[in-house]
Amino acid sequence: DPHMDLQAPSPVASLPADVCILLLCGLPGCGKSTFCEALLAKAKDNPALLGEPGGVEWHHICYDKVEAECRRARSGSPDAFDAATWREARERVAELVRAKVEGRTAPRMVLILDDNMYYRSMRKRWLHFAQQRGYAFRQGFLRA
């Protein structure tokens, strides 16, 4: 449905989800990565933050860092933009998410994906990814 409200919970949202995909969206420089670092520090200090006795694995995947690594691998410079590298980085993030989920050791996991996600289709991809697997899906929008 092209008019789907991305804020609406998925039909499986009433079931306890072992994995949560949290998109942290906002303009460049608004503090997304800083917020993620603070949130991960808080989670590290309080392992039962989400009420899970066995703990929760928290992971922060920053699109900018992944893209810089891809650029460095292609051209030797983290600043040399090209569209192919941008696409490669987006696919690499999807691979990282799959690998993190497959390798999890705690009963629950929160994956924070940090990007501007300026197109609705960029967010919708992750909504579908979560729905297909019965994961929780949430979005946070930081404003500067």
Side-chain angles (χ1 to χ4, degrees):
D1 178 4
H3 302 291
M4 178 185 287
D5 179 5
L6 291 180
Q7 299 288 12
S10 70
V12 295
S14 61
L15 302 174
D18 295 338
V19 176
C20 176
I21 304 291
L22 171 60
L23 301 185
L24 194 58
C25 312
L27 293 173
C30 73
K32 296 179 299 294
S33 295
T34 302
F35 177 83
C36 288
E37 290 167 11
L39 183 58
L40 266 61
K42 180 78 169 172
K44 184 178 179 185
D45 291 343
N46 186 0
L49 186 63
L50 295 179
E52 183 64 43
V56 177
E57 270 183 66
W58 291 77
H59 297 281
H60 171 216
I61 300 175
C62 177
Y63 275 83
D64 289 345
K65 288 182 182 176
V66 173
E67 188 173 350
E69 290 168 7
C70 290
R71 285 182 191 161
R72 196 174 294 109
R74 275 183 180 246
S75 68
S77 168
D79 299 322
F81 178 81
D82 71 86
T85 304
W86 180 86
R87 284 188 298 276
E88 175 188 343
R90 303 207 81 73
E91 288 308 312
R92 179 72 183 122
V93 166
E95 292 168 9
L96 287 169
V97 167
R98 285 190 213 55
K100 295 283 185 195
V101 171
E102 289 171 8
R104 78 183 162 113
T105 58
R108 299 181 85 186
M109 175 181 279
V110 177
L111 288 156
I112 306 169
L113 306 183
D114 163 0
D115 188 40
N116 53 34
M117 301 272 179
Y118 46 90
Y119 290 123
R120 186 174 190 222
S121 60
M122 297 165 119
R123 299 183 303 272
K124 198 169 187 178
R125 173 185 185 185
W126 289 110
L127 171 68
H128 290 169
F129 179 88
Q131 285 178 329
Q132 290 166 356
R133 291 159 180 81
Y135 298 165
F137 174 81
R138 297 294 180 261
Q139 300 179 91
F141 295 88
L142 262 61
R143 295 185 183 163

